[in-house]
């Protein structure tokens, strides 16, 4: 029949044709058909011949909405051959049978009743077969929709998903820092219930469907109340299959952009359904594909609401465009941080602490970017400090980032380095960090002096507290001994111990002062002496404890024991 298939059945078909054969081309493929046999099965062809007996049937059949293989099956059926209906061809056959009017009112036991019976009995009861049949509608989608085939498949799929949502895939485990690389390809493994009651061993995946079929199915599932965690699992798999981690050419970019925008629009809004790392992957794809601003903003909002689950690697979003000034998209991180604080309503501060640590690590990571300007770094540092408000965090993380930045940007002037260090609160640095800073040649002199004086202030406070504690302890001992009517010798002994302790602390204080003086003698010029005095005045420190302005309280002499208290 069709010239490209010279099989034995084709020879028998040619012999069975009458003298009223029709030579025509169906989508470029030549074939010979018997006009009377076609009219006997097709009401539409019979009506055409009746109304136009002199017209050539070829022009009528050339524009038939079917591919050559499907039309060949129709022709075989009309010529009396047994028709093998399958999952792959039942939808095209049904659509063409509808189009040609091959129904029971025209001819008994016609093709349409056969295909519809197969469709209802073999396709719709099965999840897998329904999806396979839907795949066959891609090239004839408008006809399948018009004849109700797509709606029937959609209804069948939704009914089965409501009974067993796991057909969409197991809910995605919300990955945290410990397991960011876990694959989600196994979400369709059958659960115990499906194995127990004999459900199909392996489910066909909805993600196989093209977007024009997949989208209405997901919309309908959401509308009919399929649990959102299963819908989210399917959408994430769809994004991974069609967009994420794929190289995109110019021709595919438009398709991928449409997919990522649709996925974002369909994703449920419940917090925590989707791992933060996966959301970051989707956001980066949306940026690369130049998706709509609404799409990118919505991904940022979703991420911002669960930012405490992110890692530093997630935040390293490459800048896009030829005019990029920095390696990473810092403004995007700033927007997500703002969203986090706007939506954080939990009374537990652990989330705030986690995000504060995250931003400090991010600051240290981007500090090595040679293109990062001082103003931008300062802005990021201020953002990190703001993230730490209310968490009682120290300044060691900020200091570490500043040190990295100064290492990578040695060309900065003294004024620029002082401006960079302006965000550093030396009073919140640990003793270890202060010790490192006091010897750090990259820091501006003013910062080094400030660190040293902060160290002296802390030592002064320690001495004062020690002396006060010792005084309180000895006074209590005196009162206890007085109640016990004990001798004064034990009290004097205790007082002497306390005096020795004070002397030791003063020696340590003097050593610190000498160290400060040594640093200043080597690093500060004579004309900076006024600055030194001003800094001492500012921090309330003096050279000797006997100076009248010293803030260390002078202890009065107890005339009874002759010891400074």
């Amino acid at each position: 029949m069709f010239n490209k298939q010279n099989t034995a059945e084709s020879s028998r078909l040619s012999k069975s044709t009458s003298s009223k054969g029709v030579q025509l081309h169906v989508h470029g493929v030549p074939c010979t058909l018997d006009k009377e046999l076609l009219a006997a099965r097709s009401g539409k062809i019979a009506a055409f011949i009746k109304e136009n007996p002199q017209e050539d049937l070829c022009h009528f059949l050339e524009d038939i909405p079917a591919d050559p293989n499907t039309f060949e099956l129709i022709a075989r059926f009309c010529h009396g051959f047994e028709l093998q209906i399958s999952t792959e061809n039942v939808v095209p056959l049904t659509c063409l049978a509808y189009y040609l009017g091959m129904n029971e009112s025209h001819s008994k036991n016609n093709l349409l009743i056969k295909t519809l019976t197969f469709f209802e009995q073999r396709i719709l009861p099965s999840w897998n077969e329904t999806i396979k049949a839907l795949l066959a509608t891609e090239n004839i989608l408008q006809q399948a929709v018009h004849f109700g085939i797509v709606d029937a498949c959609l209804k069948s799929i939704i009914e089965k998903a409501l009974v067993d949502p796991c057909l969409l895939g197991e809910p995605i485990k919300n990955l945290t820092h410990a397991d960011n690389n876990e694959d989600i390809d196994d979400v369709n493994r059958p659960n115990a219930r499906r194995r127990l009651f004999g459900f199909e061993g392996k489910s066909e995946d909805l993600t196989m469907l093209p977007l024009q079929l997949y989208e209405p199915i997901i919309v309908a599932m959401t509308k009919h109340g399929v649990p959102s965690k299963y819908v989210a699992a399917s959408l994430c798999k769809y994004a991974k299959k069609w967009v994420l981690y794929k190289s995109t050419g110019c021709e595919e970019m438009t398709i991928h952009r449409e997919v990522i925008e649709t996925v974002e629009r369909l994703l449920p809004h419940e917090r925590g359904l989707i791992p933060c790392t996966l959301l970051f992957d989707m956001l980066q794809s949306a940026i690369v594909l130049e998706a709509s601003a609404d799409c990118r903003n919505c991904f940022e909002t979703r991420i911002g609401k669960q930012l405490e689950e992110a890692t530093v690697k997630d935040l390293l979003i490459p800048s896009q465009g030829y005019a990029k000034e920095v390696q990473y998209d810092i403004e995007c991180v700033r927007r997500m941080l703002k969203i986090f604080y706007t939506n954080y309503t939990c009374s537990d501060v652990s989330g705030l602490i986690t995000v504060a640590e995250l931003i400090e690590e991010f600051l240290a990571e981007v500090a090595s970017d040679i293109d990062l300007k001082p103003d931008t770094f300062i802005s990021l540092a201020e953002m990190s400090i703001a993230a730490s408000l209310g968490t009682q965090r120290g300044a060691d993380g900020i200091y570490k980032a500043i040190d990295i930045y100064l290492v990578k940007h040695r060309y900065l002037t003294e004024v620029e380095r002082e401006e960079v260090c302006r965000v550093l609160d030396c009073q919140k640095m640990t003793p270890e960090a202060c010790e490192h800073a006091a010897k750090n040649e990259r820091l501006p002199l003013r910062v080094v002096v400030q660190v040293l004086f902060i160290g002296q202030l802390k030592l002064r406070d320690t001495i004062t507290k020690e002396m006060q504690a010792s005084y309180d302890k000895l006074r209590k001992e005196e009162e206890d001994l007085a109640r016990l009517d004990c001798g004064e010798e034990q009290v004097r002994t205790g007082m002497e111990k306390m005096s020795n302790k004070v002397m030791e602390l003063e020696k340590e204080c003097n050593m610190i002062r000498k160290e400060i003086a040594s640093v200043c003698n080597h690093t500060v010029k004579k004309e900076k002496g006024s600055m030194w005095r001003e800094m001492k005045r500012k921090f309330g420190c003096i050279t000797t404890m006997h100076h009248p302005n010293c803030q260390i309280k002078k202890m009065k002499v107890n005339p009874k024991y002759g010891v400074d208290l």
Side-chain angles (χ1 to χ4, degrees), residues 242-430:
W242 293 98
V243 179
L244 303 184
Y245 325 120
K246 306 286 185 182
S247 57
T248 302
C250 295
E251 296 180 358
E252 299 172 329
M253 189 168 182
T254 301
I255 298 175
H256 289 179
R257 183 191 303 122
E258 185 180 359
V259 169
I260 198 67
E261 289 177 352
T262 303
V263 167
E264 191 288 318
R265 189 169 60 253
L266 297 177
L267 278 174
H269 290 279
E270 288 91 331
R271 182 183 181 277
L273 286 179
I274 306 166
C276 201
T277 296
L278 186 55
L279 286 174
F280 270 103
D281 290 339
M282 293 183 185
L283 173 60
Q284 292 202 38
S285 294
I287 294 172
V288 172
L289 294 170
E290 299 177 0
S292 67
D294 286 344
C295 175
R296 299 194 302 270
N297 292 339
C298 287
F299 275 127
E300 290 180 7
T301 301
R302 294 176 186 275
I303 293 170
K305 291 180 179 179
Q306 56 189 78
L307 190 60
E308 70 274 18
E309 300 169 9
T311 65
V312 175
K313 184 178 179 181
D314 294 332
L315 296 180
L316 300 179
I317 303 172
S319 295
Q320 300 295 320
Y322 296 104
K324 62 180 182 180
E325 297 181 354
V326 292
Q327 186 175 357
Y328 302 110
D329 192 343
I330 295 169
E331 290 304 316
C332 180
V333 176
R334 191 193 306 277
R335 290 192 297 270
M336 290 187 290
L337 186 63
K338 182 178 180 180
I339 293 168
F340 171 76
Y341 284 111
T342 302
N343 292 273
Y344 193 84
T345 57
C346 183
S347 58
D348 185 5
V349 298
S350 60
L352 299 175
I353 295 174
T354 301
V355 171
E357 293 174 349
L358 175 67
I359 299 301
E360 281 187 2
E361 293 175 16
F362 174 72
L363 180 63
E365 188 70 30
V366 301
S368 59
D369 182 2
I370 194 65
D371 296 322
L372 188 64
K373 296 181 179 180
D375 291 345
T376 307
F377 177 82
I378 293 170
S379 177
L380 274 175
E382 290 173 344
M383 180 176 68
S384 178
I385 293 171
S388 301
L389 292 177
T391 62
Q392 298 181 345
R393 288 186 54 76
D396 287 10
I398 298 294
Y399 170 69
K400 176 183 177 182
I402 289 175
D403 190 40
I404 295 173
Y405 186 78
L406 295 179
V407 169
K408 296 295 182 179
H409 301 77
R410 295 182 180 274
Y411 59 84
L412 296 179
T413 64
E414 181 78 6
V415 174
E416 288 175 327
R417 286 188 290 129
E418 286 186 359
E419 189 66 19
V420 167
C421 294
R422 178 176 57 82
V423 297
L424 180 62
D425 187 350
C426 299
Q427 297 187 22
K428 292 185 178 181
M429 293 171 61
T430 61

Side-chain angles (χ1 to χ4, degrees), residues 198-266:
F199 283 78
E200 296 160 302
K202 182 180 179 181
S203 300
E204 290 293 334
D205 199 347
L206 281 179
T207 61
M208 298 168 59
L209 298 174
L211 187 62
Q212 56 189 350
L213 290 171
Y214 180 79
E215 181 179 1
I217 291 176
I218 295 298
V219 170
M221 285 188 175
T222 302
K223 181 179 179 181
H224 285 80
V226 175
S228 56
K229 58 184 179 180
Y230 297 100
V231 174
S234 179
L235 285 164
C236 290
K237 286 195 66 180
Y238 197 83
K240 185 175 181 181
K241 180 179 181 65
W242 293 98
V243 179
L244 303 184
Y245 325 120
K246 306 286 185 182
S247 57
T248 302
C250 295
E251 296 180 358
E252 299 172 329
M253 189 168 182
T254 301
I255 298 175
H256 289 179
R257 183 191 303 122
E258 185 180 359
V259 169
I260 198 67
E261 289 177 352
T262 303
V263 167
E264 191 288 318
R265 189 169 60 253
L266 297 177

